[in-house]
């Protein structure tokens, strides 16, 4: 199965991201993703078997033990690829707790011999694929308000002609912050 571990977005934050994506999709050509697919990938595992999935669940428990929720604060738009055929994403501001969580997830996966993509962690939420980004300025955008994220999930990803479908396989809740 194709799998990844991701931080799920809080409802209000995801709603704000969806509003921003709708605004962008009105002026940019491309395939914008459905709100239900928004997440922040901590580790992409690729194709794994059932035994590796089980070890990934153990890694998730270990990585999240004692971890508190993390702040998501959007800070930019960016792209992977060429402007004529880009993956458009919303950047998330650097946060020590988020970086530590991603690092711990990857360390625990490595300790259990669960393969994952070793590319450096870049906190972002994919908004659209095959987006044509013109040289003209983008519309004025309201960026999402910061929010605390506390759900980390191992997802199974199934690709189809209509895009990816994500099924949660295992979820760990991070501790709520003391207010």
């Amino acid at each position: 199965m194709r799998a990844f571990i991701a931080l799920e977005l809080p409802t209000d934050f995801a709603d704000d991201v969806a509003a921003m994506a709708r605004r962008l999709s009105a002026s940019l050509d491309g395939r914008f993703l459905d709100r239900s697919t928004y997440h922040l990938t901590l580790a992409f595992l690729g194709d794994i078997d059932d035994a590796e999935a089980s070890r990934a669940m153990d890694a998730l428990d270990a990585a999240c033990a004692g971890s508190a929720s993390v702040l998501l604060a959007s800070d930019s738009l960016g792209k992977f690829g060429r402007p004529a055929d880009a993956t458009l994403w919303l950047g998330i501001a650097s946060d020590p707790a988020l970086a530590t969580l991603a690092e711990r997830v990857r360390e625990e996966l490595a300790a259990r011999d669960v393969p994952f993509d070793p590319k450096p962690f870049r906190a972002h939420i994919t908004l659209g694929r095959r987006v044509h980004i013109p040289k003209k300025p983008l519309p004025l955008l309201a960026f999402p308000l910061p929010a605390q994220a506390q759900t980390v999930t191992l997802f199974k990803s199934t690709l189809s002609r209509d895009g990816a479908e994500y099924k949660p396989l295992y979820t760990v809740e991070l501790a709520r912050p003391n207010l």
Side-chain angles (χ1 to χ4, degrees), residues 4-7 40-44 60 98 101-102 105-106 121 152:
F4 62 93
I5 293 174
L7 192 59
L40 194 155
T41 301
L42 299 171
F44 178 73
L60 194 50
L98 178 57
L101 179 61
V105 165
R106 290 161 179 241
F121 174 68
V152 183

Side-chain angles (χ1 to χ4, degrees), residues 16-30:
D16 289 350
V17 172
M20 173 186 254
R22 277 192 305 276
R23 180 108 168 98
L24 286 165
S25 70
S27 60
L28 300 176
D29 292 328

Side-chain angles (χ1 to χ4, degrees), residues 5 40-44 80 89 92 98-107 116-125:
I5 293 174
L40 194 155
T41 301
L42 299 171
F44 178 73
F80 298 126
W89 48 262
I92 301 299
L98 178 57
T100 298
L101 179 61
E103 183 179 325
R104 287 181 67 189
V105 165
R106 290 161 179 241
E107 287 171 353
F116 62 91
D117 186 338
K119 287 186 192 110
F121 174 68
R122 176 181 271 174
H124 71 279
I125 299 158

Side-chain angles (χ1 to χ4, degrees), residues 2 4 36-37 39 129 155-158 164-168:
R2 185 172 188 262
F4 62 93
S36 66
T37 66
H39 63 272
R129 300 194 189 282
F155 285 97
K156 175 182 177 181
S157 173
T158 304
E165 181 181 320
Y166 305 138
K167 177 184 177 187

Side-chain angles (χ1 to χ4, degrees), residues 59-70 97 100-101 104 108 150 152 172-178:
L60 194 50
D61 282 334
C64 295
S67 295
S69 63
V70 296
T100 298
L101 179 61
R104 287 181 67 189
E108 295 295 341
Q150 61 190 55
V152 183
V172 175
E173 294 293 325
L174 302 174
R176 293 186 184 275
N178 294 330

Side-chain angles (χ1 to χ4, degrees), residues 110-162:
R112 289 163 178 77
D113 294 321
V114 178
F116 62 91
D117 186 338
K119 287 186 192 110
F121 174 68
R122 176 181 271 174
H124 71 279
I125 299 158
T126 300
L127 302 176
R129 300 194 189 282
R130 304 192 63 91
V131 176
H132 176 77
I133 301 171
K135 293 183 181 183
K136 66 181 182 180
L138 294 175
L140 290 177
L141 300 169
F143 278 73
L145 296 174
Q148 292 288 328
Q150 61 190 55
T151 306
V152 183
T153 301
L154 171 65
F155 285 97
K156 175 182 177 181
S157 173
T158 304
L159 300 178
S160 73
R161 291 167 47 100
D162 297 327

